[in-house]
Amino acid sequence: MALRYFSGSSTYNQAKMINTSNFLLGDLQKGIGGVKHFFSLGRENRRLNEEVAALRERLQWLQETADTLPETQREYSYYFSTARVVNNSITLLNNYFTLDKGIRDGVETEMAVISNGAIAGYILDCSERFSVAISLLNTDFRTSGRIRGEDYFGSIFWDGIRMDEVVLSEIPKYAPIQIGDTIVTTDYSSYFPPDLLIGTVTGFELINGTYYDARVKLSADMAGLRHVVLIDYLYREEKMELEHETASRASIR
């Protein structure tokens, strides 16, 4: 049975408790260091991913409940669980991976999949006991990414060239992009919470004198996916339905 973790949603992006977040992340780093020599073992890897899910829940709750709301007044926006990869393709233009959890374990379509704190894909289909996710290494995969610490963002996609790199496209030419910059998810995604790791800029070029395309080395080891964390944004349907209705009304005018 998948482990379930819940977190608040009032002001997800506000780091009101930065000292607490540093403390929690420090605990996680100590835990990882303490089992470094066992890291390749499935049991330890699974335990670490469960710890990541638990710490994410604690950190988000602390950030969003700095005013100590009563339990009855809290709202929850994300659901966290863990799963194991039982099949994975990386050599095609349209790659997918299969997880050992399905509908009976609480897995739903469009749940984000992360590995060691970095995005890996999202769920496309589920059966009772299994689910299939579209991989970052799929030319149909799309999400948005931004430079950490900046508001400049662009489109993330895989161009089918390297299995450890994706492209961050259409970054404005006045953005202060540099090799080594960390790229993270944005608020605009309907799949991924903001500020999850995507990767690190390895190079960039100015296109038509108007925007940058950057190559981003992935933080997730897509060839070595094993134990992953699933994240479900509970308000996805409401958000997407409102956006669709608004777009439909605008197109009629």
Side-chain angles (χ1 to χ4, degrees):
M1 192 70 175
L3 294 180
R4 300 193 175 195
Y5 301 95
F6 296 90
S7 53
S9 67
S10 57
T11 54
Y12 181 89
N13 296 317
Q14 297 180 6
K16 293 182 179 178
M17 310 224 14
I18 189 65
N19 290 333
T20 303
S21 68
N22 289 337
F23 174 76
L24 291 175
L25 293 177
D27 278 353
L28 177 58
Q29 290 171 345
K30 290 178 182 177
I32 292 175
V35 298
K36 186 175 181 180
H37 59 295
F38 292 118
F39 193 72
S40 61
L41 299 179
R43 178 172 55 83
E44 293 297 338
N45 216 350
R46 181 173 59 188
R47 186 186 67 78
L48 287 175
N49 275 281
E50 291 172 350
E51 184 176 357
V52 168
L55 288 175
R56 283 189 180 280
E57 179 271 327
R58 289 172 60 196
L59 175 57
Q60 188 178 346
W61 186 86
L62 287 169
Q63 289 174 335
E64 297 179 0
T65 57
D67 296 329
T68 319
L69 291 175
E71 177 70 29
T72 54
Q73 295 181 25
R74 292 183 201 140
E75 294 183 357
Y76 300 101
S77 61
Y78 292 100
Y79 159 74
F80 294 79
S81 60
T82 60
R84 184 168 58 92
V85 177
V86 294
N87 197 10
N88 184 21
S89 64
I90 58 172
T91 60
L92 308 174
L93 289 179
N94 299 105
N95 293 293
Y96 303 88
F97 54 88
T98 304
L99 306 180
D100 69 341
K101 299 292 177 63
I103 295 171
R104 70 177 187 177
D105 306 297
V107 179
E108 299 179 358
T109 58
E110 301 183 332
M111 291 178 75
V113 183
I114 68 172
S115 174
N116 295 323
I119 69 171
Y122 59 85
I123 302 297
L124 280 183
D125 202 4
C126 303
S127 66
E128 282 298 306
R129 297 174 177 82
F130 299 96
S131 53
V132 173
I134 183 172
S135 170
L136 261 173
L137 304 183
N138 189 310
T139 53
D140 290 333
F141 180 94
R142 292 291 186 278
T143 193
S144 57
R146 68 175 179 86
I147 305 168
R148 178 187 277 172
E150 303 287 345
D151 293 328
Y152 302 105
F153 68 94
S155 177
I156 290 285
F157 66 91
W158 186 53
D159 57 4
I161 297 177
R162 293 177 55 109
M163 66 179 61
D164 62 346
E165 282 188 350
V166 292
V167 176
L168 174 62
S169 183
E170 300 183 350
I171 292 289
K173 67 177 182 180
Y174 43 82
I177 190 169
Q178 297 181 22
I179 291 177
D181 280 347
T182 299
I183 305 302
V184 297
T185 53
T186 73
D187 295 281
Y188 304 123
S189 174
S190 295
Y191 303 108
F192 302 104
D195 301 318
L196 291 177
L197 285 174
I198 298 176
T200 305
V201 174
T202 58
F204 55 91
E205 61 177 327
L206 190 61
I207 307 297
N208 299 324
T210 57
Y211 63 87
Y212 289 111
D213 275 359
R215 300 207 66 82
V216 179
K217 182 175 178 58
L218 293 173
S219 295
D221 178 9
M222 299 303 296
L225 290 182
R226 190 59 172 168
H227 296 283
V228 296
V229 175
L230 305 179
I231 307 176
D232 189 16
Y233 179 35
L234 303 181
Y235 300 143
R236 181 186 303 106
E237 284 191 22
E238 178 182 346
K239 176 177 178 288
M240 294 182 72
E241 183 177 337
L242 177 61
E243 291 173 345
H244 178 73
E245 291 177 355
T246 301
S248 298
R249 288 198 299 268
S251 64
I252 295 174
R253 295 175 182 172

